[in-house]
Amino acid sequence: MTDQIKFIVEQLNKEPFKKNFNLVTFDSLEPMQLLQVLNDVLGEIDPRHNVDLREEMPDHTAKRMLGLLGILKYKPPGNPADMSLFRQGIVLGSKPVIHPVLYWLL
């Protein structure tokens, strides 16, 4: 997992993100901040995702993000029955859900 986080931090510190994270600052992000990082990455892929998450309903956020991840052919770990848990992890900004998505996207 640490190698995964190192990779994420390295990529987020490069163009076009320029986040200036280190392992500690990235790992200490609050769930909403982590979700915003994911949203920023998705916004680089599709500018329609450049949204301030504070102004968007959580269900809409999850639907929007899951829609783009589906278009990009992201396959959540686990079986299809776990999809509701994956969706809930997106809404809550859960590290075990968000980190693998960021790793895959970057």
Side-chain angles (χ1 to χ4, degrees):
M1 187 63 111
T2 303
D3 288 339
Q4 187 180 60
I5 294 173
K6 278 184 192 174
F7 176 80
I8 293 168
V9 169
E10 287 170 4
Q11 297 307 308
L12 289 173
N13 287 339
K14 294 178 182 176
E15 290 280 345
F17 310 108
K18 295 193 241 177
K19 293 290 187 183
N20 200 25
F21 287 129
N22 62 42
L23 292 175
V24 174
T25 57
F26 180 75
D27 194 49
S28 65
L29 290 175
E30 295 294 321
M32 193 65 175
Q33 293 170 311
L34 186 58
L35 192 58
Q36 185 65 54
V37 170
L38 174 59
N39 193 69
D40 293 346
V41 172
L42 293 174
E44 285 298 323
I45 295 168
D46 182 346
R48 292 176 291 179
H49 289 267
N50 287 328
V51 175
D52 185 345
L53 296 180
R54 296 172 295 185
E55 298 175 5
E56 184 177 54
M57 295 298 296
D59 284 346
H60 185 65
T61 299
K63 184 177 179 182
R64 181 175 53 77
M65 289 182 172
L66 291 172
L68 182 56
L69 289 172
I71 290 168
L72 296 172
K73 306 284 190 234
Y74 178 76
K75 300 280 188 232
N79 61 48
D82 295 335
M83 192 61 184
S84 65
L85 292 174
F86 180 75
R87 180 185 173 103
Q88 184 179 12
I90 292 282
V91 170
L92 298 175
S94 170
K95 288 179 186 180
V97 172
I98 304 292
H99 286 177
V101 174
L102 284 171
Y103 181 78
W104 186 84
L105 288 168
L106 297 169

